[in-house]
Structure formats: C-alpha cells, structure tokens
Amino acid sequence: MPSNGNRPLKLQFGLINHEGRYLTAETFGFKVNASAPSLKKKQMWTLEQDSQDAQVVYLRSHLGRYLASDKDGIVSCEADGHNSDCRFLIVAQSDGRWALQSEQYLRFFGGSRDYLSCFAQAVTDAELWAVHLALHPQANLLSVARKRYAHLSMEDGEIAVDLNIPWGVAALLTLVYLDGKYCLKTCDGRFLGNDGKLLTQSGRVTAYTLEFKCGKLAFKDCEGKYLSPMGPTGTLRSGRCSKPGKDELFDLEESHPQVVLIAANGRYVSIRQGVSLAANQEDETDTETFQMEIDRDTKKSTFRSSQGNYWALVAHGGVQTTSTAVSADTMFSVEWLGHKVALKANNGKYICTKKNGQLLAVSDSIGEAVSSERPGGSGSGSDSGEDELLTLKLINRPMLILRGENGFICRHRNSSTLDASRSVYDIFSLEFSGGAYHIKGADGRFWYVNGAGLVCSDGEAPEAFSLELLERGRLAIRAKSGKYLRGDQGGTLKGDGPGPSSSALWEY
C-alpha cells in the first residue's frame, strides 16, 4: 500500500448517447431513459466487475439498482443484485465509445429518449455510449505496478511517476474532458502528449480514451497504445502495448489539501530542526508543508508531514510529528476565524506560539484580539493576545475547480454572473493574499459580490474571500460581508448564505 493510505476513488460516470443525452435512472418506477442534457445525480452510474469473470460488468444506478435486459430486449433498472439479466460486456470502439452487450442474449443496448432497448443484433451509432467521469477532475494518479504517484517534473519537462507520497502542487493532475476523450493537465497548465512531452495546447496527441479494467483506469492514445511509466524515473508516455497490462493501469486518488501555517510571529510552522513543531522559518519548503486530512465523521483534522508522520499531542502540551497512525491525539479541531484559524488539541487546549517559536497546546482560550479578525474586522495580527491565531494557506490548488451539490461553477453564457449547476466547469486561479484569497477567471478578471448579492466574475480589482476547509473534500467560501457563497435553486451563485449549509459546500 503506498504511504498516502488513500483508497482509490470510486469510478462513477455518465453515459452519453449518440444524441448527446445522458442515460438516466428515474427515481420512480425504476425506469431508464436518455433525455437529460447534463450530468447530475440521476445520470451517475458505477461499474462493478464480476468476481468470477472480469469481462462481465454490472451497471449500478444512483438508487443502488442494476441495469438489466430481458430476452425481449426490454430494459429496466430495478434489480437489487447481480442476476443474469444484469450481466453486460463492454465492447470498446476505436473512438473511445462503448457498446454494451447483454452477455445472456448477445444483443446491444441503445436508443434515444424514452425508447431504450437491448435488442440490436449489430452496433450502429444508436448503440454507442461516450463515457464521462463523474468524479471531481482534480486528483492524484497512482501507478498500480510501481506503487508510485505521478507529478510534474519541471527540470525534465515531463510527468514522472516516482513519488511515495503525492506531495506539493506538482502532484495535482486535472483530467480535462474534451469530445468524449480526456487530456491530462499539469499544475502549470500544460497537456501530456503521448510521446511524454508537455504541450501548451491540447490536440490529437494529448487526447486519451479511458478504459476500465478490474476497477482501474488505462489511458489509450490516438495510435491505440497505452500510457505507462518508463525508465528509472517513470516517465509517463505511451509504450508499445496495444492491450493494457498491470504496467498500464492507474488509480485516481483524492487529492488532500496541503497547507502552510504562519504563526503570530510571522514565521512558518516547521519541522526543519527536528520533530517538534516550531514557528521559526522564513521560507516554504517541504518541511513547512503539511497535508490536512479531515475525518468524515468528526470533521477534525490530522496534519501529515512530507515523510508521512502525523502531528501528535505529547506530554506537557507539546506537538510533534512522531505518530505513524491516526489516533485521538493526532486529531485537531480547526476553528475558522475570518482570515485566521485556531487549532484545538485533544487535551481541550488551543495551540499557541511561545516567544521562542515553539508550538504548545496549552491555552484555555483564544486571545482577545480575535474579534477584530472576523470578516470585516481590521485585525492587525500583531497583538500578543493573538498567540493562538495562525494564518493557513492552501498551496496545492492554484487551479480551482468547484463542484456543488447540483453541479460545477461555470461562467454564465451571457452575463458576468456565475452558474453553480453546470455539467461542465471553468478553471479559476486562486491567489493567496494575507490570509484571504482572490479568485480569478481565465480572462484575468476577479470574482466579487455585487450589491444584489450575486457573485460576478468581471471585477477589475481583486476582492478578498476566505476559504474554510470544513469537510473532507469540501470547502466553504466566505465573502468579505461574512456571508457564504451558495448555489440557489435556480442554479446561480450568490454571496448571501447565512452559514455553511449543503448548498454552500464545494468539492475542490
């Protein structure tokens, strides 16, 4: 098991027919159709492979029921288990689309709108489905054979597969969906070509067809060859294989937030001089960077070093990176206080910075100066009463893609407002500034909240937003008014949320 300790992301996807419509499992009557123009919850499917025969797959809907076809080609999605009518074979086409064949009756599944059946004896355009991954497009890529993670190697101008832990912004890859195929985009905005070179523009040689094998992913290039790690550093490029073996298989894993913390003395929290945490450094390196892993149930955070060890509470309130496993003493509550945070250890005490820079969990409360740090407050950050306050900076999301409960955030087609329920996404830039963030579009203009409470994306000047990493994989964004950004029922992004409710939480 690689030392990041993550489980692979569950591969959920949408299936798009020849008319550009998504296969949909309706909530009532277990009916299926292909009417939806975009990928939402009802259009998400999970692939499950048969335990005995790896060629056979089952398609599970968002309701936990399975797609099935009877001998007359009548299709339903009511089965609650792996019965014989639910067994399908994927016949992958050269353009990346799938034909789904009933294993039992050898007929092909297709059609349009409400008229879907599994009765075609041969594959035509109506029986072909494009695959659109439903997971958040930013992830870490793990080679199954090498048990190493991919990252951008700036010196060599390539993607190398040689990291034990996916560390820093270089390990963040974005899967860009274009015309039924995927490109791999690095953190500096370049695309991986099939010869291993990184290109500034996407095109034929940067487009890959996704194939699923035993729950893993393979990337097939325009020549029918597969990406695999090559040579001592694991240079990612297409090899000679026209069938994917273990070397050509990858897992996608959730990319946890990685942060640096700046104490009240203006220095970075670091372990450069040993295992004890101290705010005594003036630059950001791996020894000042920590991975935040948020517990799904308690919402508490662990902080992990680049060596894989966790912060842990030790005797007399000390905090050291000595723990190799998660326990109560490695869990910290994060309190979000405008542009600052406070961390409470398992002993019920807040971490504070001592005069020598050492971090100790010994404070009963946060200093009096906190009130001035709330959104809209002046907060100079120099008061001695602020020894419990830290500035937290997210470093591994320079490219920000946000997905809410109803879809992605994307520029509105005809105005400066933002939609929060789209199946396609825009990539925004995240710029850190004194505990706050500026969010910028591809045109160089900034987000701001207008007088009507709408979030607009055509600002000439940057406006400060706070990010709160509240749940595993989800953050909240707070405007300078103190209100949260939320998607309203009409799908518009507004800056008037009273709290971090489900409509104000964003996968990132």
Side-chain angles (χ1 to χ4, degrees):
M1 186 81 174
S3 49
N4 209 38
N6 271 346
R7 290 196 186 124
L9 289 167
K10 192 164 59 176
L11 293 177
Q12 292 182 310
F13 51 85
L15 290 170
I16 309 167
N17 76 351
H18 64 297
E19 296 175 335
R21 300 283 167 159
Y22 286 81
L23 180 64
T24 302
E26 294 296 352
T27 313
F28 302 106
F30 301 109
K31 289 187 165 55
V32 287
N33 61 55
S35 302
S38 63
L39 179 59
K40 305 277 180 70
K41 187 178 178 183
K42 290 195 287 190
Q43 289 75 41
M44 288 188 193
W45 297 84
T46 306
L47 197 71
E48 294 181 1
Q49 256 151 332
D50 188 67
S51 53
Q52 262 75 51
D53 184 349
Q55 299 296 308
V56 173
V57 298
Y58 304 89
L59 289 162
R60 184 162 58 89
S61 76
H62 66 105
L63 299 168
R65 303 297 181 111
Y66 294 89
L67 189 70
S69 165
D70 69 11
K71 64 182 191 308
D72 299 317
I74 295 169
V75 174
S76 66
C77 195
E78 194 167 354
D80 56 8
H82 289 184
N83 67 41
S84 57
D85 282 354
C86 305
R87 295 167 67 88
F88 286 89
L89 304 170
I90 296 172
V91 184
Q93 309 296 301
S94 58
D95 66 357
R97 288 188 291 176
W98 289 358
L100 292 168
Q101 185 178 30
S102 164
E103 189 214 29
Q104 183 142 334
Y105 307 112
L106 301 179
R107 301 293 179 104
F108 291 95
F109 171 58
S112 63
R113 301 203 173 259
D114 290 327
Y115 305 103
L116 299 180
S117 66
C118 190
F119 208 62
Q121 291 178 302
V123 177
T124 69
D125 215 32
E127 285 74 45
L128 291 176
W129 301 87
V131 183
H132 186 179
L133 277 184
L135 46 81
H136 190 280
Q138 290 176 306
N140 299 134
L141 189 67
L142 173 74
S143 162
V144 172
R146 295 206 178 197
K147 296 187 169 59
R148 294 289 183 274
Y149 291 92
H151 68 105
L152 168 65
S153 172
M154 292 291 279
E155 308 80 59
D156 303 316
E158 64 181 27
I159 294 178
V161 185
D162 60 356
L163 284 184
N164 285 323
I165 296 180
W167 205 255
V169 67
L172 185 72
L173 293 172
T174 303
L175 277 91
V176 181
Y177 181 71
L178 286 170
D179 303 322
K181 299 196 177 184
Y182 282 86
C183 303
L184 282 170
K185 193 174 190 179
T186 56
C187 62
D188 65 352
R190 290 185 289 173
F191 298 92
L192 178 68
N194 60 357
D195 60 356
K197 291 191 171 68
L198 296 172
L199 307 172
T200 53
Q201 298 290 322
S202 60
R204 182 172 176 268
V205 297
T206 67
Y208 301 92
T209 300
L210 289 189
E211 290 192 6
F212 297 77
K213 186 177 177 186
C214 307
K216 311 295 182 191
L217 276 181
F219 296 85
K220 185 164 78 171
D221 73 6
C222 56
E223 312 287 345
K225 305 291 192 253
Y226 292 84
L227 287 181
S228 69
M230 305 275 200
T233 61
T235 303
L236 195 58
R237 57 190 290 269
S238 290
R240 299 198 184 108
C241 292
S242 50
K243 277 196 171 171
K246 192 175 181 183
D247 285 339
E248 289 74 39
L249 295 181
F250 297 88
D251 274 326
L252 286 175
E253 288 189 1
E254 174 185 6
S255 171
H256 291 288
Q258 290 173 354
V259 301
V260 296
L261 294 146
I262 305 154
N265 63 7
R267 302 288 179 92
Y268 289 101
V269 174
S270 177
I271 51 166
R272 196 179 301 184
Q273 293 171 328
V275 294
S276 291
L277 288 181
N280 59 8
Q281 296 299 322
E282 294 187 354
D283 54 346
E284 296 173 30
T285 70
D286 281 355
T287 54
E288 291 71 50
T289 304
F290 301 98
Q291 181 161 286
M292 271 181 85
E293 298 175 13
I294 301 171
D295 184 75
R296 289 188 198 282
D297 300 321
T298 65
K299 309 291 190 281
K300 291 183 177 181
S301 285
T302 58
F303 291 85
R304 206 173 193 196
S305 76
S306 61
Q307 301 304 306
N309 291 339
Y310 295 96
W311 290 13
L313 178 69
V314 295
H316 311 298
V319 183
Q320 297 183 344
T321 52
T322 50
S323 182
T324 56
V326 173
S327 68
D329 283 336
T330 67
M331 291 285 192
F332 296 84
S333 298
V334 183
E335 295 183 14
W336 300 90
L337 305 160
H339 298 168
K340 304 275 185 182
V341 299
L343 304 178
K344 189 187 273 188
N346 190 44
N347 61 0
K349 308 279 188 182
Y350 289 97
I351 289 178
C352 71
T353 309
K354 293 299 179 186
K355 292 219 172 1
N356 64 359
Q358 191 179 4
L359 266 63
L360 296 174
V362 293
S363 290
D364 289 320
S365 62
I366 300 167
E368 297 299 311
V370 165
S371 57
S372 67
E373 283 299 327
R374 294 196 180 281
S378 58
S380 67
S382 59
D383 245 24
S384 60
E386 295 186 4
D387 290 340
E388 295 79 26
L389 294 180
L390 299 157
T391 301
L392 182 146
K393 174 184 174 184
L394 176 66
I395 63 136
N396 64 335
R397 289 296 185 282
M399 297 190 304
L400 193 64
I401 296 170
L402 296 167
R403 183 167 76 167
E405 57 183 356
N406 294 313
F408 289 102
I409 293 181
C410 190
R411 285 275 303 266
H412 192 278
R413 289 183 184 89
N414 306 315
S415 76
S416 63
T417 60
L418 292 157
D419 290 331
S421 59
R422 297 279 290 279
S423 60
V424 293
Y425 55 80
D426 280 338
I427 298 176
F428 300 97
S429 298
L430 192 66
E431 298 175 350
F432 181 77
S433 177
Y437 297 85
H438 304 146
I439 304 172
K440 192 166 71 173
D443 59 0
R445 291 173 180 256
F446 294 93
W447 285 22
Y448 64 96
V449 181
N450 72 9
L454 295 168
V455 183
C456 300
S457 60
D458 62 344
E460 296 284 348
E463 186 162 297
F465 292 91
S466 302
L467 299 189
E468 300 180 357
L469 313 181
L470 296 177
E471 294 186 3
R472 187 172 182 129
R474 287 181 172 82
L475 56 71
I477 304 173
R478 213 166 179 182
K480 63 180 183 181
S481 64
K483 301 283 190 184
Y484 289 88
L485 271 53
R486 68 176 183 93
D488 72 3
Q489 287 185 325
T492 301
L493 188 65
K494 290 189 169 176
D496 61 358
S501 62
S502 61
S503 63
L505 290 173
W506 309 95
E507 288 179 58
Y508 62 98

